[in-house]
Amino acid sequence: MDPVFLAHVSIFAASALACVAAVPRARRIRHPETRDGMVALLLTVALWASGYVGYFLAPGETAKEASYIVGFVFALLSVGAWLYFCAAYTGRSPRRAPYRRAVVGVFVVVSLLKVTNPLHELYFTTAWATEPFPHLAIRHELLYWLVLGLSYAVIAVGFFMLLEQLYYTALDSRSLTALIAVTAIPTTATVAGESFSWLLPLMYEPPGVALFAVGTMFVYFRRFETIQFAADSDDPAIFLDQTGRIRDHNRAARLLFPALHGAIGEPLDAVLPRLAVDRDEDAVIAVAVDGERGGPRDGERDGDASTRYYQVSRNAFTSRGVTGGELLTVDDVTDRERYRLRLEERTAQLEALNRVVRHDIRNDMAVIHGWAETLRDHVDDEGQDALDRVLRKSTHVIELTETARDFVESLTGDAVPETKPVDLCGLLETEVQAARDSFPQAAFRLSPEPPAATVRGNEMLASVFRNLLNNAVQHNDTDHPEVTVTCEAFDDRVRLRFADNGPGIPDDAKATIFGKGKKGIDSPGSGIGLYLVRALTEQFGGDVWVTDNEPRGAAFVVELPRAAAESADRPETDDDAATEPGAADDAASESDEADDTATDPGEADAADD
């Protein structure tokens, strides 16, 4: 058998087998679009090379020409697969590329021209030849060279994207750069094929693609994925092997951690012990701006401009369940971390303020109120009016401390507060009766009787009702305030309406009335009651808004989600008892409750001492 013939068949057959063998490895690529592009490239090149093998081995002119056309068509499709892979690997999603349909249309038209070449012979003509061995010779026409030039231009774009990716990651990419260069070498054989008697005028790119596939999928697979992950951002990146030793790092990592210079092959815990933390969770570390490792994060001052915070994330490289390496990326989260520290400090300050309000101010006002009550039998008619004013104001201050307490607890509580079924009827009746006791000059009507429904809430739901009832009286401009509470139940929610006969809310203020600190010029309130109402209602999954009441006044509407039927029917527990009438208004400690409820002058003095 002619050695030149055997060499041609062997080269293309080996290329096809290598590409097929690399497909299972390519399916392990974690990035979906990159995986699809590589698999498509391998399969199209395998069919391209197989078509050439059929061209050499098929009997008869028709079979040889058909096999050549098959390889010819898949050669064009491999160009598209190559560009798809390069775009996906470098972070340019091909599925969002412009003019996708136009590109597909061009590929379809060119492929049809190739398939129908026996009819028009615009691509190539055939004739039998004896050199360098007996074969069906292919003579390419002008259209072939035009499409080949266009294909090479597209391929060059893919090469540029890959080389740009390798350059800007700043990782050691010499091995992959060499593989990419090898992929391009067979191009010279394609261009010079007609200049050498021992080379047939074919396209010899399949061997180059096969070498690239074997190199990236079997030899440098972890580095192949590492470079892609590291290039997704400009953040520092460190590549570790399966033993935790440093294998590579990018320029950003070297600038942030000078200790990485000359540390290739060293254990990470010896070079950067702050990064060698528990691998099961991401960690935030503090680093000095000069690049030296910072001290422990605990105790770092929020305003310390010499410290920056970084979150270390991990991406493990696994093969058949075995970890072969790990990529550490270090994301600058300084702004987020400093904001978190400021929130922690402010939360602590709010909690301290809450205790001052609840213990000191409330207890002092309880003393004032208690001793003032003892003066009722010791003042004449002229002094009775002044005493009533003192009692009303002291009661109002105590109510303000309760509102402030609820407000602080709503801010310092968990981001997603726990809720449970709350007996709406009992809680609403309790709060209406409490409002009647606090404002004897006002008329409160609960009409009709609230439905026997349970809603999602917690102990703070009482604060919503209390603030709305108090607000309806405190902002009322009549001598005899009237407040009507109605309740309407739906399948999935309950709607409550708190209507008063006051001055109403202007239309331009309805959208902002629930803002923190919003109140009228002559309002005796604190400006946080309605803000607290909205905040709590939203925490319960409900909504609140204000409308006009007829003939005058405002109506505040609260919608709350109904509790699930199975939750409403469950037996009462100790926790649920907190929502029943007469239960505690908050979840504070027993010692706090003892201080809060001290209303007798002697008890309050004792608590104060």
Side-chain angles (χ1 to χ4, degrees):
M1 184 176 292
D2 189 283
V4 178
F5 171 79
L6 183 61
H8 277 78
V9 174
S10 299
I11 287 175
F12 287 107
S15 300
L17 292 175
C19 289
V20 172
V23 168
R25 293 282 295 181
R27 293 180 64 85
R28 298 179 186 175
I29 297 175
R30 286 186 287 180
H31 187 259
E33 290 187 334
T34 303
R35 179 176 61 245
D36 295 342
M38 176 60 82
V39 170
L41 176 64
L42 295 175
L43 292 178
T44 53
V45 172
L47 292 171
W48 175 7
S50 299
Y52 279 3
V53 172
Y55 161 70
F56 286 117
L57 300 180
E61 180 176 347
T62 302
K64 288 180 178 293
E65 185 175 2
S67 296
Y68 179 80
I69 290 176
V70 169
F72 209 25
V73 170
F74 279 102
L76 179 66
L77 295 179
S78 68
V79 173
W82 166 259
L83 188 62
Y84 188 102
F85 160 74
C86 293
Y89 183 73
T90 56
R92 304 171 175 90
S93 176
R95 294 174 183 172
R96 293 194 295 268
Y99 310 113
R100 296 187 304 276
R101 294 183 178 179
V103 172
V104 172
V106 170
F107 273 88
V108 170
V109 171
V110 174
S111 298
L112 289 175
L113 288 174
K114 290 185 175 185
V115 171
T116 58
N117 182 78
L119 301 177
H120 51 71
E121 294 186 340
L122 296 177
Y123 257 101
F124 63 88
T125 58
T126 60
W128 285 98
T130 57
E131 296 295 335
F133 53 83
H135 67 283
L136 182 65
I138 303 294
R139 175 175 294 179
H140 295 123
E141 301 298 333
L142 177 62
L143 186 57
Y144 166 83
W145 294 108
L146 291 176
V147 174
L148 182 64
L150 178 62
S151 299
Y152 279 166
V154 173
I155 293 171
V157 172
F159 275 117
F160 174 79
M161 288 190 289
L162 290 180
L163 294 175
E164 180 187 42
Q165 178 96 329
L166 299 180
Y167 175 78
Y168 283 108
T169 54
L171 294 173
D172 185 2
S173 56
R174 289 172 293 182
S175 55
L176 290 181
T177 303
L179 285 175
I180 293 174
V182 168
T183 305
I185 290 176
T187 302
T188 59
T190 300
V191 176
E194 298 189 10
S195 301
F196 298 93
S197 60
W198 47 272
L199 275 179
L200 297 188
L202 302 174
M203 290 183 288
Y204 289 89
E205 283 76 9
V209 175
L211 287 174
F212 177 75
V214 171
T216 54
M217 296 297 103
F218 292 96
V219 182
Y220 300 109
F221 183 75
R222 287 197 296 271
R223 185 167 299 278
F224 170 80
E225 285 207 309
T226 299
I227 289 176
Q228 182 179 25
F229 289 139
D232 285 341
S233 69
D234 296 328
D235 296 329
I238 302 173
F239 176 43
L240 308 178
D241 62 15
Q242 62 270 27
T243 64
R245 294 180 178 272
I246 300 173
R247 303 305 302 168
D248 205 352
H249 47 75
N250 62 4
R251 185 182 299 108
R254 289 196 300 272
L255 293 175
L256 181 61
F257 304 111
L260 288 174
H261 286 282
I264 300 298
E266 297 293 329
L268 178 67
D269 55 2
V271 179
L272 295 171
R274 293 299 312 284
L275 296 186
V277 293
D278 187 359
R279 296 187 178 187
D280 293 334
E281 60 181 38
D282 294 344
V284 175
I285 62 172
V287 178
V289 293
D290 59 1
E292 299 299 329
R293 291 189 294 271
R297 189 182 65 183
D298 295 338
E300 292 286 353
R301 296 185 59 187
D302 171 35
D304 187 0
S306 65
T307 301
R308 299 196 67 81
Y309 298 94
Y310 296 87
Q311 183 166 14
V312 183
S313 302
R314 291 164 174 74
N315 288 288
F317 300 103
T318 58
S319 177
R320 297 180 181 178
V322 178
T323 300
E326 193 173 28
L327 177 68
L328 304 185
T329 55
V330 185
D331 183 25
D332 190 337
V333 293
T334 300
D335 292 340
R336 187 191 73 187
E337 192 66 11
R338 288 178 177 171
Y339 180 69
R340 185 189 66 81
L341 292 174
R342 286 196 296 270
L343 285 181
E344 287 183 353
E345 182 179 358
R346 291 178 182 178
T347 298
Q349 293 171 348
L350 283 173
E351 290 173 346
L353 174 63
N354 190 23
R355 298 191 67 84
V356 170
V357 169
R358 298 185 61 178
H359 289 269
D360 300 340
I361 299 178
R362 195 172 192 275
N363 285 346
D364 287 347
M365 289 309 305
V367 171
I368 294 173
H369 189 276
W371 283 111
E373 285 283 2
T374 65
L375 297 178
R376 286 191 179 276
D377 298 332
H378 303 281
V379 296
D380 54 21
D381 293 340
E382 293 182 359
Q384 187 66 44
D385 181 65
L387 178 60
D388 289 341
R389 289 178 181 270
V390 171
L391 290 173
R392 285 198 301 270
K393 289 299 181 182
S394 61
T395 300
H396 181 56
V397 171
I398 293 174
E399 291 174 353
L400 288 179
T401 62
E402 294 175 350
T403 300
R405 173 202 62 193
D406 295 342
F407 177 68
V408 172
E409 290 181 354
S410 72
L411 295 179
T412 59
D414 296 335
V416 182
E418 294 184 1
T419 62
K420 56 187 176 183
V422 176
D423 177 16
L424 178 63
C425 180
L427 182 61
L428 192 57
E429 288 178 346
T430 298
E431 292 304 321
V432 169
Q433 184 58 48
R436 288 170 179 157
D437 296 338
S438 299
F439 304 100
Q441 80 281 13
F444 293 89
R445 288 189 293 272
L446 189 56
S447 176
E449 183 178 347
T454 55
V455 295
R456 298 304 303 178
N458 55 30
E459 293 81 359
M460 300 293 286
L461 181 57
S463 181
V464 173
F465 299 156
R466 182 167 60 249
N467 275 285
L468 289 175
L469 292 169
N470 292 353
N471 182 80
V473 177
Q474 293 170 349
H475 295 268
N476 204 297
D477 59 352
T478 64
D479 295 333
H480 302 286
E482 295 180 3
V483 183
T484 303
V485 182
T486 58
C487 184
E488 186 178 5
F490 299 93
D491 291 339
D492 59 344
R493 67 192 187 280
V494 176
R495 179 179 297 171
L496 299 99
R497 188 172 183 269
F498 297 78
D500 61 61
N501 62 339
I505 305 296
D507 291 339
D508 57 356
K510 286 186 173 67
T512 60
I513 192 66
F514 296 99
K516 183 167 55 176
K518 299 294 183 182
K519 65 176 188 174
I521 297 176
D522 300 323
S523 168
S526 62
I528 62 175
L530 292 180
Y531 174 79
L532 180 63
V533 167
R534 185 190 65 177
L536 292 175
T537 303
E538 290 179 350
Q539 287 182 3
F540 302 145
D543 194 11
V544 59
W545 64 91
V546 61
T547 62
D548 294 328
N549 188 34
E550 296 296 339
R552 77 187 304 264
F556 287 82
V557 183
V558 176
E559 275 194 352
L560 296 169
R562 298 192 68 163
E566 60 270 20
S567 299
D569 295 336
R570 64 180 173 82
E572 180 182 302
T573 65
D574 293 340
D575 290 339
D576 295 337
T579 64
E580 295 298 322
D585 288 343
D586 53 72
S589 64
E590 292 182 2
S591 61
D592 291 346
E593 288 297 332
D595 289 340
D596 290 346
T597 55
T599 57
D600 180 78
E603 294 177 1
D605 285 339
D608 190 40
D609 294 338

